Amino acid sequence: MAHPTDVRGAGTLPAPGTRDTHILDNAVWAALDGPHAHLAERVGRAARYPADVYDFAALADPADPAAWADLRTLVGPGTVVRLKPVEEVPDGWDVVGGGVGVQLVDTALRAEPVPEAVRLGPDDIPEILDLVARTKPGPFQKRTVELGTYLGIRHRGRLIAMAGERIRPPGWTEISAVCTDPDHRGRGLGTRLVRAVAAGIRARGDIPFLHAAARNTAALRLYESIGFTLRRRSPILLVRSPGTPCEAGAL
């Protein structure tokens, strides 16, 4: 079921230098410790989103051994979790995969509503997941829509493009899941939806930012061309906690 979007005005960005970007250095933690605390599964200085919302965990300080101990308690032994940004892991933890991501912030984006965009909700999840499966925009689970506003464009009743909000560090909101059906690319639908999502973000006083895979150079060029600026590169790691899963049930 689609719901008409109601985005009034793009708002204005704070003057350059007035919004601290350092909170974005550990954006997932800042979100789980802040606006998304109601979603957080947490033990001390470690937290994660529910697996059916967003498959990332976070540490208050990746250099703090106590935070890693809290993470093991949270996830249990022999469990693979996804973290960013983490440069090194303690003894006993194994790196089993990963990559490099980039973070971009809005510095000159023209944000504006899209009249034909509709707000997507729980009733639209089957269609959303079908579009995600066809386009591979990045991690997206059946409850990811609970993280914020998701907008879509339909053609003859079928969902063909989408973008929405994901993590929310205080003062910032990430734009994510930007995707367009392969049969409808080249029409600027993704860009228009990014502008529309950004309008809603600015209207509540936040600044848009986003993440992308460093290898996705075409997307990076596009985002920079519409007003995003590269802020940092950082590793994304898949790590396995110490121990074996059977320990959790040992007597």
Side-chain angles (χ1 to χ4, degrees):
M1 178 178 177
H3 313 280
T5 181
D6 183 16
V7 179
R8 300 185 178 93
T12 57
L13 284 173
T18 62
R19 182 67 59 87
D20 183 14
T21 62
H22 289 95
I23 198 168
L24 299 180
D25 291 347
N26 196 356
V28 178
W29 173 261
L32 287 167
D33 191 47
H36 283 167
H38 65 288
L39 291 168
E41 298 174 354
R42 180 169 178 173
V43 172
R45 293 171 60 77
R48 66 178 176 182
Y49 284 96
D52 58 354
V53 174
Y54 182 44
D55 62 345
F56 266 87
L59 304 166
D61 178 1
D64 180 7
W68 286 94
D70 287 340
L71 181 61
R72 185 183 185 277
T73 300
L74 175 64
V75 305
T79 301
V80 174
V81 294
R82 191 185 308 264
L83 295 167
K84 63 180 177 183
V86 173
E87 301 284 348
E88 298 179 351
V89 302
D91 291 343
W93 290 78
D94 296 320
V95 176
V96 296
V100 178
V102 296
Q103 184 184 82
L104 301 97
V105 296
D106 169 16
T107 54
L109 177 68
R110 187 179 81 249
E112 58 191 8
V114 174
E116 66 268 39
V118 294
R119 182 163 182 169
L120 304 174
D123 292 342
D124 302 298
I125 288 174
E127 274 193 288
I128 291 171
L129 294 178
D130 179 65
L131 180 60
V132 166
R134 299 197 309 272
T135 58
K136 305 292 191 295
F140 198 99
Q141 311 300 328
K142 64 181 181 181
R143 291 178 56 208
T144 300
V145 293
E146 296 178 21
L147 294 176
T149 298
Y150 280 81
L151 303 179
I153 292 176
R154 296 183 181 279
H155 177 69
R156 297 178 179 174
R158 187 187 189 204
L159 184 65
I160 61 169
M162 177 181 74
E165 302 172 357
R166 196 163 60 184
I167 60 174
R168 287 188 60 190
W172 301 82
T173 300
E174 179 191 26
I175 296 177
S176 185
V178 182
C179 55
T180 301
D181 184 284
D183 292 338
H184 295 272
R185 289 175 182 167
R187 298 166 50 191
L189 299 180
T191 296
R192 295 177 65 205
L193 286 171
V194 167
R195 297 189 193 281
V197 173
I201 291 170
R202 287 187 181 176
R204 65 169 180 263
D206 280 5
I207 299 176
F209 75 108
L210 53 81
H211 291 106
R215 67 179 182 275
N216 193 350
T217 55
L220 300 184
R221 286 195 298 269
L222 172 62
Y223 291 138
E224 290 179 323
S225 74
I226 64 174
F228 285 91
T229 298
L230 179 65
R231 178 177 178 266
R232 65 177 292 169
R233 295 174 181 266
S234 59
I236 301 169
L237 296 184
L238 283 171
V239 300
R240 181 183 293 114
S241 58
T244 57
C246 63
E247 291 179 20
L251 297 177

